[in-house]
Amino acid sequence: MRGWKKCSTSAVKERHTLGGDTIGIIDIAFGSLWSWMRVIEEMNGRKVFDEAKNPSLAKWAETFSADAAVKGVLPETHKLVEYAESLKKRWAAAAAK
């Protein structure tokens, strides 16, 4: 999390993207991780990311998620949670054998 904050804070303040004026590969890479961070938060019942401590990243996440190029392909958190829960059950069953 510290590395994410360090690399993004200055870039996000003015452009609301991580690598340039438009969404690029860095935004996509972090965006794919962002979805899973929300899953971890929901499944564990605690915050991984504190918006108050990282307002630049919160703004980036909001802007990234709302972008037309991303909105249609970014998986919904509840669907990822369902998938993660099914994986968890499969792994538990495999470990019990």
Side-chain angles (χ1 to χ4, degrees):
M1 193 59 156
R2 278 180 262 158
W4 181 328
K5 182 180 177 184
K6 184 178 178 181
C7 82
S8 67
T9 302
S10 61
V12 173
K13 281 183 182 176
E14 294 188 21
R15 294 185 303 265
H16 303 298
T17 62
L18 297 175
D21 295 328
T22 60
I23 289 178
I25 191 72
I26 297 170
D27 297 286
I28 293 168
F30 279 129
S32 64
L33 296 173
W34 185 259
S35 296
W36 285 104
M37 278 186 30
R38 293 297 184 201
V39 170
I40 291 167
E41 289 178 343
E42 190 167 322
M43 291 182 74
N44 293 319
R46 63 177 218 183
K47 296 290 264 176
V48 173
F49 176 75
D50 183 357
E51 290 88 352
K53 290 182 182 179
N54 302 290
S56 296
L57 285 176
K59 181 64 178 170
W60 168 82
E62 180 184 319
T63 303
F64 177 78
S65 299
D67 190 277
V70 174
K71 197 169 188 152
V73 295
L74 197 62
E76 297 174 29
T77 302
H78 75 276
K79 289 183 180 182
L80 287 177
V81 168
E82 289 173 7
Y83 177 68
E85 288 174 345
S86 72
L87 286 177
K88 192 175 173 181
K89 288 176 186 175
R90 271 193 247 157
W91 294 337
K97 289 183 182 183

Coordinates of all heavy atoms in Angstrom, one line a residue:
M1 N 0.8 -1.2 0.0 CA 0.0 0.0 0.0 C 0.9 1.3 0.0 O 0.6 2.2 -0.7 CB -0.9 0.0 1.2 CG -2.0 1.0 1.2 SD -3.0 0.7 -0.3 CE -4.5 1.4 0.1
R2 N 2.0 1.2 0.7 CA 2.8 2.4 0.8 C 3.4 2.7 -0.6 O 3.5 3.8 -1.0 CB 4.0 2.2 1.8 CG 3.5 2.5 3.2 CD 4.7 2.3 4.1 NE 4.4 1.0 4.7 CZ 5.3 0.2 5.2 NH1 6.6 0.6 5.3 NH2 5.0 -1.0 5.7
G3 N 3.8 1.7 -1.4 CA 4.3 1.8 -2.7 C 3.3 2.4 -3.6 O 3.6 3.3 -4.4
W4 N 2.1 2.0 -3.5 CA 1.0 2.5 -4.3 C 0.8 4.0 -4.0 O 0.7 4.8 -4.9 CB -0.3 1.7 -4.0 CG -1.5 2.1 -4.8 CD1 -1.9 3.3 -5.2 CD2 -2.6 1.2 -5.1 NE1 -3.1 3.2 -5.8 CE2 -3.5 2.0 -5.8 CE3 -2.8 -0.1 -4.9 CZ2 -4.7 1.4 -6.3 CZ3 -4.0 -0.7 -5.4 CH2 -4.9 0.1 -6.1
K5 N 0.7 4.3 -2.8 CA 0.5 5.7 -2.4 C 1.7 6.6 -2.9 O 1.4 7.6 -3.4 CB 0.4 5.8 -0.9 CG 0.2 7.2 -0.4 CD 0.1 7.3 1.1 CE -0.1 8.7 1.6 NZ -0.1 8.8 3.0
K6 N 2.9 6.1 -2.7 CA 4.0 6.9 -3.1 C 4.1 7.2 -4.6 O 4.3 8.3 -5.1 CB 5.3 6.2 -2.7 CG 6.6 7.0 -3.0 CD 7.8 6.2 -2.6 CE 9.1 7.0 -2.9 NZ 10.3 6.2 -2.5
C7 N 3.8 6.2 -5.4 CA 3.9 6.3 -6.9 C 2.7 7.1 -7.5 O 2.8 7.7 -8.5 CB 4.0 5.0 -7.6 SG 2.5 4.1 -7.9
S8 N 1.6 7.2 -6.7 CA 0.4 7.8 -7.3 C 0.1 9.2 -6.8 O -0.6 9.9 -7.5 CB -0.8 6.9 -7.1 OG -1.1 6.9 -5.7
T9 N 0.5 9.5 -5.7 CA 0.0 10.8 -5.0 C 0.2 12.0 -5.9 O -0.7 12.7 -6.2 CB 0.7 11.0 -3.7 OG1 0.4 9.9 -2.9 CG2 0.2 12.3 -3.0
S10 N 1.4 12.2 -6.4 CA 1.7 13.4 -7.2 C 1.0 13.3 -8.6 O 0.5 14.3 -9.1 CB 3.2 13.6 -7.4 OG 3.8 12.5 -8.1
A11 N 1.0 12.1 -9.2 CA 0.4 12.0 -10.5 C -1.1 12.2 -10.5 O -1.7 12.8 -11.4 CB 0.7 10.6 -11.1
V12 N -1.8 11.8 -9.4 CA -3.2 11.8 -9.3 C -3.7 13.2 -9.0 O -4.8 13.6 -9.5 CB -3.7 10.8 -8.3 CG1 -5.2 11.0 -8.0 CG2 -3.4 9.4 -8.7
K13 N -3.0 14.0 -8.3 CA -3.4 15.3 -7.9 C -4.0 16.2 -9.0 O -5.0 16.9 -8.9 CB -2.3 16.0 -7.1 CG -2.2 15.5 -5.7 CD -1.1 16.3 -5.0 CE -1.0 15.8 -3.5 NZ 0.1 16.4 -2.8
E14 N -3.3 16.2 -10.1 CA -3.7 17.1 -11.2 C -4.5 16.4 -12.3 O -5.3 17.0 -12.9 CB -2.4 17.7 -11.8 CG -1.8 18.7 -10.8 CD -0.7 19.5 -11.4 OE1 -0.7 19.7 -12.6 OE2 0.1 20.0 -10.6
R15 N -4.1 15.1 -12.6 CA -4.7 14.5 -13.8 C -5.8 13.4 -13.5 O -6.5 13.0 -14.3 CB -3.6 13.8 -14.6 CG -2.7 14.8 -15.2 CD -1.7 14.1 -16.1 NE -0.9 13.1 -15.5 CZ 0.3 13.2 -14.9 NH1 0.9 14.4 -14.9 NH2 0.9 12.2 -14.3
H16 N -5.8 12.9 -12.3 CA -6.7 11.8 -11.9 C -6.4 10.5 -12.6 O -7.3 9.7 -12.7 CB -8.1 12.2 -12.0 CG -8.4 13.5 -11.2 ND1 -8.3 13.5 -9.8 CD2 -8.8 14.7 -11.6 CE1 -8.6 14.7 -9.4 NE2 -8.9 15.5 -10.4
T17 N -5.2 10.4 -13.1 CA -4.7 9.1 -13.7 C -3.3 8.9 -13.2 O -2.7 9.8 -12.6 CB -4.7 9.1 -15.2 OG1 -3.8 10.1 -15.7 CG2 -6.1 9.4 -15.8
L18 N -2.8 7.7 -13.3 CA -1.5 7.4 -12.7 C -0.3 7.7 -13.7 O 0.8 7.9 -13.3 CB -1.4 6.0 -12.2 CG -2.4 5.7 -11.1 CD1 -2.4 4.2 -10.8 CD2 -2.1 6.5 -9.9
G19 N -0.6 7.5 -15.0 CA 0.5 7.6 -15.9 C 0.5 8.7 -17.0 O 1.4 8.8 -17.8
G20 N -0.6 9.4 -17.1 CA -0.7 10.4 -18.1 C -2.0 11.1 -18.1 O -2.7 11.2 -17.1
D21 N -2.4 11.7 -19.2 CA -3.6 12.5 -19.3 C -4.8 11.6 -19.5 O -5.9 12.0 -19.2 CB -3.5 13.5 -20.5 CG -2.5 14.5 -20.2 OD1 -2.2 14.9 -19.1 OD2 -1.9 15.0 -21.2
T22 N -4.6 10.4 -19.9 CA -5.7 9.4 -20.1 C -5.4 8.1 -19.4 O -4.2 7.9 -19.0 CB -6.0 9.1 -21.6 OG1 -4.8 8.6 -22.2 CG2 -6.4 10.4 -22.3
I23 N -6.4 7.3 -19.2 CA -6.1 6.0 -18.5 C -5.1 5.2 -19.4 O -5.3 5.0 -20.6 CB -7.4 5.2 -18.4 CG1 -8.3 5.9 -17.3 CG2 -7.2 3.7 -18.0 CD1 -9.6 5.3 -17.1
G24 N -4.1 4.6 -18.7 CA -3.1 3.9 -19.4 C -2.8 2.5 -18.7 O -3.6 2.1 -17.8
I25 N -1.8 1.9 -19.0 CA -1.5 0.6 -18.5 C -1.3 0.6 -17.0 O -1.7 -0.4 -16.3 CB -0.2 0.0 -19.2 CG1 0.0 -1.5 -18.9 CG2 1.0 0.7 -18.9 CD1 -1.1 -2.4 -19.5
I26 N -0.7 1.6 -16.4 CA -0.5 1.7 -15.0 C -1.9 1.7 -14.3 O -2.1 1.0 -13.3 CB 0.4 2.8 -14.6 CG1 1.8 2.6 -15.2 CG2 0.4 3.0 -13.1 CD1 2.7 3.8 -15.0
D27 N -2.8 2.5 -14.8 CA -4.1 2.6 -14.2 C -4.8 1.3 -14.3 O -5.5 0.9 -13.4 CB -5.0 3.7 -15.0 CG -4.4 5.1 -14.9 OD1 -4.5 5.6 -13.8 OD2 -3.8 5.6 -15.8
I28 N -4.7 0.6 -15.5 CA -5.3 -0.7 -15.6 C -4.8 -1.7 -14.7 O -5.5 -2.5 -14.1 CB -5.2 -1.2 -17.1 CG1 -6.0 -0.2 -18.0 CG2 -5.7 -2.6 -17.3 CD1 -5.8 -0.4 -19.5
A29 N -3.5 -1.7 -14.5 CA -2.9 -2.7 -13.6 C -3.4 -2.4 -12.1 O -3.8 -3.4 -11.5 CB -1.3 -2.5 -13.6
F30 N -3.3 -1.2 -11.7 CA -3.8 -0.9 -10.3 C -5.3 -1.1 -10.2 O -5.8 -1.5 -9.2 CB -3.4 0.5 -9.9 CG -2.0 0.7 -9.4 CD1 -1.2 1.6 -9.9 CD2 -1.5 -0.2 -8.4 CE1 0.1 1.8 -9.5 CE2 -0.2 -0.1 -8.0 CZ 0.6 0.9 -8.5
G31 N -6.0 -0.8 -11.3 CA -7.5 -0.9 -11.3 C -7.9 -2.4 -11.1 O -8.9 -2.7 -10.4
S32 N -7.1 -3.3 -11.7 CA -7.5 -4.7 -11.5 C -7.2 -5.2 -10.1 O -8.0 -6.0 -9.5 CB -6.7 -5.6 -12.5 OG -5.3 -5.5 -12.2
L33 N -6.2 -4.6 -9.4 CA -6.0 -4.9 -8.0 C -7.0 -4.2 -7.1 O -7.4 -4.8 -6.1 CB -4.6 -4.4 -7.6 CG -3.4 -5.1 -8.3 CD1 -2.1 -4.4 -8.0 CD2 -3.4 -6.6 -8.0
W34 N -7.4 -3.0 -7.5 CA -8.4 -2.3 -6.8 C -9.7 -3.1 -6.5 O -10.2 -3.1 -5.4 CB -8.7 -1.0 -7.5 CG -9.6 -0.1 -6.7 CD1 -10.9 0.1 -6.8 CD2 -9.2 0.7 -5.6 NE1 -11.4 1.0 -5.9 CE2 -10.4 1.4 -5.1 CE3 -8.0 0.9 -4.9 CZ2 -10.3 2.2 -4.0 CZ3 -8.0 1.8 -3.8 CH2 -9.1 2.4 -3.4
S35 N -10.2 -3.7 -7.6 CA -11.4 -4.5 -7.4 C -11.2 -5.6 -6.4 O -12.1 -5.8 -5.5 CB -11.8 -5.2 -8.8 OG -12.0 -4.2 -9.7
W36 N -10.1 -6.2 -6.3 CA -9.8 -7.3 -5.4 C -9.6 -6.8 -4.0 O -10.0 -7.4 -3.0 CB -8.7 -8.2 -5.8 CG -9.1 -9.1 -6.9 CD1 -8.9 -9.0 -8.2 CD2 -10.0 -10.2 -6.8 NE1 -9.5 -10.0 -9.0 CE2 -10.2 -10.8 -8.1 CE3 -10.6 -10.9 -5.7 CZ2 -11.0 -11.9 -8.3 CZ3 -11.4 -12.0 -6.0 CH2 -11.6 -12.5 -7.3
M37 N -9.1 -5.5 -3.9 CA -9.0 -4.9 -2.5 C -10.4 -4.8 -1.9 O -10.6 -5.0 -0.7 CB -8.3 -3.6 -2.6 CG -6.8 -3.7 -2.6 SD -5.9 -2.2 -2.5 CE -6.9 -1.1 -1.6
R38 N -11.4 -4.4 -2.7 CA -12.7 -4.2 -2.2 C -13.3 -5.6 -1.8 O -14.1 -5.6 -0.8 CB -13.6 -3.6 -3.3 CG -13.2 -2.1 -3.6 CD -13.5 -1.3 -2.4 NE -13.2 0.1 -2.6 CZ -12.9 1.0 -1.7 NH1 -12.9 0.6 -0.4 NH2 -12.7 2.2 -2.0
V39 N -13.0 -6.6 -2.5 CA -13.4 -8.0 -2.2 C -12.8 -8.4 -0.8 O -13.6 -8.9 0.1 CB -13.0 -9.0 -3.2 CG1 -13.3 -10.4 -2.8 CG2 -13.7 -8.7 -4.5
I40 N -11.6 -8.1 -0.6 CA -10.9 -8.4 0.7 C -11.6 -7.7 1.8 O -11.9 -8.2 2.9 CB -9.4 -8.1 0.6 CG1 -8.7 -9.1 -0.3 CG2 -8.8 -8.1 2.0 CD1 -7.3 -8.7 -0.7
E41 N -11.9 -6.4 1.6 CA -12.6 -5.6 2.6 C -13.9 -6.2 2.9 O -14.3 -6.3 4.1 CB -12.7 -4.2 2.1 CG -11.5 -3.4 2.1 CD -11.7 -2.0 1.5 OE1 -12.7 -1.6 0.9 OE2 -10.7 -1.1 1.8
E42 N -14.7 -6.5 1.9 CA -16.0 -7.1 2.2 C -16.0 -8.4 2.9 O -16.8 -8.7 3.8 CB -16.8 -7.2 0.8 CG -18.3 -7.5 1.1 CD -19.1 -7.3 -0.2 OE1 -18.9 -6.3 -0.9 OE2 -20.0 -8.1 -0.4
M43 N -15.1 -9.3 2.4 CA -15.1 -10.6 3.0 C -14.5 -10.7 4.4 O -14.9 -11.5 5.2 CB -14.2 -11.6 2.1 CG -14.9 -11.9 0.8 SD -14.0 -13.0 -0.3 CE -14.3 -14.6 0.6
N44 N -13.6 -9.7 4.7 CA -13.0 -9.7 6.1 C -13.7 -8.7 7.0 O -13.3 -8.7 8.2 CB -11.5 -9.4 6.0 CG -10.8 -10.5 5.3 OD1 -11.0 -11.6 5.6 ND2 -9.8 -10.1 4.4
G45 N -14.6 -7.9 6.5 CA -15.3 -6.9 7.3 C -14.5 -5.8 7.9 O -14.8 -5.3 8.9
R46 N -13.4 -5.5 7.2 CA -12.6 -4.4 7.7 C -11.9 -3.7 6.5 O -11.7 -4.3 5.4 CB -11.5 -4.8 8.7 CG -10.5 -5.8 8.1 CD -9.4 -6.1 9.1 NE -8.2 -6.2 8.3 CZ -7.1 -6.5 8.8 NH1 -7.0 -6.8 10.1 NH2 -6.0 -6.6 8.1
K47 N -11.6 -2.4 6.7 CA -11.1 -1.6 5.6 C -9.6 -1.9 5.4 O -8.8 -2.0 6.3 CB -11.2 -0.1 5.9 CG -12.7 0.4 6.0 CD -13.3 0.4 4.7 CE -13.3 1.8 4.1 NZ -13.8 1.8 2.8
V48 N -9.2 -2.1 4.1 CA -7.8 -2.2 3.7 C -7.3 -0.8 3.3 O -6.2 -0.4 3.6 CB -7.7 -3.2 2.6 CG1 -6.3 -3.2 2.0 CG2 -8.1 -4.6 3.0
F49 N -8.2 -0.1 2.7 CA -7.9 1.3 2.2 C -8.7 2.3 2.9 O -9.9 2.3 3.0 CB -8.2 1.3 0.7 CG -8.0 2.6 0.1 CD1 -6.7 3.1 -0.2 CD2 -9.1 3.4 -0.2 CE1 -6.5 4.3 -0.8 CE2 -8.9 4.7 -0.8 CZ -7.6 5.1 -1.1
D50 N -8.0 3.3 3.5 CA -8.6 4.4 4.2 C -8.6 5.6 3.3 O -7.6 6.3 3.1 CB -7.9 4.7 5.5 CG -8.5 5.7 6.3 OD1 -9.5 6.3 5.9 OD2 -8.0 6.0 7.5
E51 N -9.8 6.0 2.8 CA -9.9 7.1 1.9 C -9.5 8.5 2.6 O -8.9 9.3 1.9 CB -11.4 7.3 1.4 CG -11.9 6.2 0.5 CD -12.4 5.0 1.2 OE1 -12.4 4.9 2.4 OE2 -13.0 4.1 0.5
A52 N -9.7 8.6 3.9 CA -9.3 9.8 4.5 C -7.8 10.0 4.6 O -7.2 11.1 4.5 CB -9.8 9.8 6.0
K53 N -7.0 8.9 4.7 CA -5.6 9.0 4.7 C -5.0 9.1 3.3 O -3.8 9.5 3.1 CB -5.0 7.7 5.4 CG -5.3 7.7 6.9 CD -4.6 6.5 7.5 CE -4.9 6.4 9.0 NZ -4.3 5.2 9.6
N54 N -5.7 8.7 2.3 CA -5.2 8.6 0.9 C -6.3 9.3 -0.1 O -6.8 8.6 -0.9 CB -5.0 7.2 0.5 CG -4.0 6.5 1.4 OD1 -2.8 6.8 1.4 ND2 -4.5 5.5 2.2
P55 N -6.5 10.5 0.1 CA -7.6 11.2 -0.7 C -7.2 11.2 -2.2 O -8.1 11.1 -3.0 CB -7.7 12.6 -0.2 CG -6.4 12.8 0.5 CD -5.9 11.5 1.1
S56 N -6.0 11.2 -2.6 CA -5.6 11.2 -4.0 C -6.0 9.8 -4.6 O -6.5 9.8 -5.7 CB -4.1 11.5 -4.2 OG -3.8 12.8 -3.8
L57 N -5.7 8.8 -3.9 CA -6.0 7.5 -4.4 C -7.5 7.2 -4.4 O -8.0 6.6 -5.4 CB -5.4 6.4 -3.6 CG -3.9 6.2 -3.8 CD1 -3.3 5.1 -2.8 CD2 -3.6 5.8 -5.2
A58 N -8.2 7.8 -3.5 CA -9.7 7.7 -3.5 C -10.2 8.4 -4.7 O -11.1 7.8 -5.4 CB -10.3 8.3 -2.2
K59 N -9.7 9.5 -5.0 CA -10.2 10.3 -6.2 C -9.8 9.5 -7.5 O -10.6 9.4 -8.4 CB -9.5 11.7 -6.2 CG -10.0 12.5 -7.4 CD -11.5 12.8 -7.3 CE -11.9 13.7 -8.5 NZ -13.3 13.8 -8.6
W60 N -8.6 8.9 -7.5 CA -8.2 8.1 -8.7 C -9.2 7.0 -8.9 O -9.7 6.7 -10.0 CB -6.8 7.6 -8.5 CG -6.5 6.6 -9.5 CD1 -6.1 6.8 -10.8 CD2 -6.7 5.1 -9.4 NE1 -6.0 5.6 -11.5 CE2 -6.4 4.5 -10.6 CE3 -7.0 4.3 -8.3 CZ2 -6.4 3.2 -10.8 CZ3 -7.1 3.0 -8.5 CH2 -6.8 2.4 -9.8
A61 N -9.5 6.2 -7.8 CA -10.4 5.1 -7.9 C -11.8 5.5 -8.4 O -12.4 4.8 -9.2 CB -10.5 4.4 -6.5
E62 N -12.3 6.6 -7.9 CA -13.6 7.1 -8.3 C -13.6 7.4 -9.8 O -14.5 7.0 -10.5 CB -13.9 8.3 -7.5 CG -15.2 8.9 -7.8 CD -15.5 10.2 -6.9 OE1 -15.1 10.2 -5.7 OE2 -16.0 11.2 -7.5
T63 N -12.5 8.2 -10.2 CA -12.4 8.6 -11.6 C -12.2 7.4 -12.5 O -12.9 7.3 -13.6 CB -11.3 9.6 -11.8 OG1 -11.5 10.7 -10.9 CG2 -11.1 10.1 -13.2
F64 N -11.3 6.5 -12.1 CA -11.1 5.3 -12.9 C -12.3 4.4 -13.1 O -12.7 4.0 -14.2 CB -10.0 4.5 -12.2 CG -9.6 3.2 -12.9 CD1 -8.9 3.2 -14.1 CD2 -10.1 2.0 -12.4 CE1 -8.6 2.0 -14.7 CE2 -9.8 0.8 -13.1 CZ -9.1 0.8 -14.2
S65 N -13.0 4.2 -12.0 CA -14.2 3.3 -12.0 C -15.3 3.9 -12.8 O -16.2 3.2 -13.4 CB -14.7 3.1 -10.6 OG -13.7 2.4 -9.9
A66 N -15.4 5.2 -12.9 CA -16.5 5.9 -13.6 C -16.2 6.1 -15.1 O -17.1 6.5 -15.8 CB -16.8 7.3 -12.9
D67 N -15.0 5.9 -15.5 CA -14.6 6.2 -16.9 C -15.4 5.2 -17.8 O -15.5 4.0 -17.5 CB -13.1 6.0 -17.1 CG -12.6 6.5 -18.4 OD1 -12.8 5.7 -19.4 OD2 -12.2 7.6 -18.6
A68 N -15.9 5.7 -18.9 CA -16.7 4.9 -19.9 C -15.9 3.7 -20.4 O -16.5 2.6 -20.6 CB -17.1 5.8 -21.0
A69 N -14.6 3.8 -20.6 CA -13.8 2.7 -21.1 C -13.7 1.6 -20.1 O -13.4 0.4 -20.4 CB -12.4 3.2 -21.5
V70 N -13.8 1.9 -18.8 CA -13.6 1.0 -17.8 C -14.9 0.4 -17.2 O -15.0 -0.8 -16.9 CB -12.8 1.6 -16.6 CG1 -12.7 0.7 -15.4 CG2 -11.4 2.0 -17.1
K71 N -15.9 1.3 -17.1 CA -17.2 1.0 -16.4 C -17.8 -0.3 -16.9 O -18.3 -1.1 -16.2 CB -18.1 2.1 -16.5 CG -19.2 2.1 -15.6 CD -20.0 3.4 -15.5 CE -21.0 3.3 -14.4 NZ -21.3 4.6 -13.8
G72 N -17.8 -0.5 -18.2 CA -18.4 -1.7 -18.8 C -17.7 -3.0 -18.6 O -18.3 -4.1 -18.7
V73 N -16.4 -2.9 -18.2 CA -15.6 -4.2 -18.1 C -15.1 -4.4 -16.7 O -14.7 -5.5 -16.4 CB -14.4 -4.2 -19.1 CG1 -14.9 -4.2 -20.5 CG2 -13.5 -3.0 -18.8
L74 N -15.2 -3.5 -15.8 CA -14.8 -3.6 -14.4 C -15.8 -4.5 -13.7 O -17.0 -4.2 -13.7 CB -14.7 -2.3 -13.8 CG -13.9 -2.2 -12.5 CD1 -12.5 -2.6 -12.7 CD2 -14.0 -0.8 -11.9
P75 N -15.4 -5.6 -13.2 CA -16.4 -6.5 -12.5 C -16.9 -5.9 -11.2 O -16.3 -5.1 -10.5 CB -15.5 -7.8 -12.1 CG -14.1 -7.4 -12.3 CD -14.0 -6.2 -13.1
E76 N -18.2 -6.2 -11.0 CA -18.9 -5.7 -9.8 C -18.3 -6.5 -8.6 O -18.1 -7.7 -8.6 CB -20.4 -5.9 -9.9 CG -21.0 -5.1 -11.1 CD -22.5 -5.5 -11.3 OE1 -23.1 -5.9 -10.3 OE2 -22.9 -5.4 -12.4
T77 N -18.2 -5.7 -7.5 CA -17.6 -6.3 -6.3 C -18.4 -7.5 -5.8 O -17.8 -8.6 -5.5 CB -17.5 -5.3 -5.2 OG1 -16.8 -4.2 -5.6 CG2 -16.9 -5.8 -3.9
H78 N -19.7 -7.5 -5.8 CA -20.5 -8.6 -5.3 C -20.3 -9.9 -6.1 O -20.3 -11.0 -5.6 CB -22.0 -8.3 -5.2 CG -22.7 -8.2 -6.4 ND1 -22.8 -7.1 -7.3 CD2 -23.5 -9.2 -7.1 CE1 -23.5 -7.4 -8.3 NE2 -23.9 -8.6 -8.2
K79 N -20.0 -9.7 -7.4 CA -19.8 -10.9 -8.3 C -18.4 -11.5 -8.0 O -18.2 -12.7 -8.0 CB -19.9 -10.5 -9.7 CG -21.3 -10.2 -10.2 CD -21.4 -10.0 -11.6 CE -22.9 -9.7 -12.0 NZ -23.0 -9.4 -13.4
L80 N -17.4 -10.6 -7.7 CA -16.1 -11.1 -7.3 C -16.1 -11.8 -6.0 O -15.4 -12.8 -5.8 CB -15.1 -9.9 -7.3 CG -14.7 -9.4 -8.7 CD1 -13.7 -8.2 -8.5 CD2 -14.0 -10.5 -9.5
V81 N -16.9 -11.3 -5.1 CA -17.1 -11.9 -3.7 C -17.7 -13.3 -3.9 O -17.2 -14.2 -3.3 CB -17.9 -11.0 -2.8 CG1 -18.3 -11.8 -1.6 CG2 -17.2 -9.7 -2.4
E82 N -18.7 -13.4 -4.7 CA -19.3 -14.7 -5.0 C -18.2 -15.7 -5.5 O -18.1 -16.9 -5.1 CB -20.4 -14.6 -6.0 CG -21.7 -14.0 -5.4 CD -22.7 -13.7 -6.4 OE1 -22.6 -14.2 -7.6 OE2 -23.7 -13.1 -6.1
Y83 N -17.4 -15.2 -6.5 CA -16.4 -16.0 -7.1 C -15.3 -16.4 -6.0 O -14.9 -17.6 -6.0 CB -15.7 -15.3 -8.3 CG -14.6 -16.0 -8.9 CD1 -14.8 -17.2 -9.6 CD2 -13.3 -15.6 -8.8 CE1 -13.8 -17.9 -10.2 CE2 -12.2 -16.2 -9.4 CZ -12.5 -17.4 -10.1 OH -11.4 -18.1 -10.7
A84 N -14.9 -15.5 -5.2 CA -13.9 -15.7 -4.2 C -14.4 -16.7 -3.2 O -13.7 -17.6 -2.7 CB -13.5 -14.4 -3.5
E85 N -15.7 -16.6 -2.8 CA -16.3 -17.6 -1.9 C -16.3 -19.0 -2.5 O -16.1 -20.0 -1.8 CB -17.7 -17.1 -1.4 CG -17.6 -15.9 -0.5 CD -18.9 -15.3 -0.1 OE1 -19.9 -15.6 -0.8 OE2 -19.0 -14.5 0.8
S86 N -16.6 -19.1 -3.8 CA -16.7 -20.4 -4.4 C -15.2 -21.0 -4.5 O -15.1 -22.2 -4.2 CB -17.3 -20.3 -5.8 OG -16.4 -19.7 -6.7
L87 N -14.2 -20.2 -4.7 CA -12.9 -20.7 -4.7 C -12.5 -21.1 -3.3 O -11.8 -22.2 -3.1 CB -11.9 -19.6 -5.1 CG -11.8 -19.2 -6.6 CD1 -10.9 -18.1 -6.8 CD2 -11.4 -20.4 -7.4
K88 N -12.9 -20.4 -2.3 CA -12.6 -20.7 -0.9 C -13.2 -22.1 -0.5 O -12.5 -22.9 0.1 CB -13.1 -19.6 0.0 CG -12.7 -19.6 1.4 CD -13.2 -18.4 2.2 CE -13.0 -18.5 3.6 NZ -13.5 -17.3 4.3
K89 N -14.4 -22.3 -1.0 CA -15.0 -23.6 -0.7 C -14.3 -24.8 -1.4 O -14.1 -25.8 -0.8 CB -16.5 -23.6 -1.1 CG -17.4 -22.7 -0.2 CD -18.8 -22.7 -0.7 CE -19.6 -21.7 0.1 NZ -21.0 -21.5 -0.4
R90 N -13.9 -24.5 -2.7 CA -13.2 -25.5 -3.4 C -11.9 -25.9 -2.8 O -11.5 -27.0 -2.7 CB -13.0 -25.1 -4.9 CG -14.1 -25.4 -5.8 CD -13.7 -25.3 -7.2 NE -14.5 -24.1 -7.7 CZ -14.1 -23.4 -8.7 NH1 -13.0 -23.6 -9.4 NH2 -14.9 -22.4 -9.1
W91 N -11.2 -24.8 -2.3 CA -9.9 -25.1 -1.7 C -10.0 -25.8 -0.4 O -9.2 -26.7 0.0 CB -9.1 -23.7 -1.5 CG -8.7 -23.1 -2.8 CD1 -8.6 -23.7 -4.0 CD2 -8.5 -21.7 -3.0 NE1 -8.2 -22.8 -5.0 CE2 -8.2 -21.5 -4.4 CE3 -8.6 -20.6 -2.2 CZ2 -7.9 -20.3 -4.9 CZ3 -8.3 -19.4 -2.8 CH2 -7.9 -19.2 -4.1
A92 N -11.1 -25.5 0.4 CA -11.3 -26.1 1.6 C -11.6 -27.6 1.4 O -11.2 -28.5 2.1 CB -12.4 -25.4 2.4
A93 N -12.4 -27.9 0.4 CA -12.8 -29.3 0.0 C -11.6 -30.0 -0.4 O -11.4 -31.2 0.0 CB -13.9 -29.3 -1.0
A94 N -10.7 -29.4 -1.2 CA -9.5 -30.1 -1.7 C -8.5 -30.4 -0.5 O -7.9 -31.4 -0.5 CB -8.8 -29.2 -2.7
A95 N -8.5 -29.4 0.4 CA -7.6 -29.6 1.6 C -8.1 -30.7 2.5 O -7.3 -31.3 3.2 CB -7.4 -28.3 2.3
A96 N -9.4 -30.9 2.5 CA -10.0 -31.9 3.4 C -9.8 -33.3 2.9 O -9.9 -34.3 3.7 CB -11.5 -31.7 3.6
K97 N -9.4 -33.5 1.6 CA -9.2 -34.8 1.1 C -7.9 -35.5 1.5 O -7.0 -35.0 1.8 CB -9.3 -34.7 -0.5 CG -10.6 -34.5 -1.0 CD -10.6 -34.5 -2.5 CE -12.0 -34.1 -3.0 NZ -12.1 -34.2 -4.4

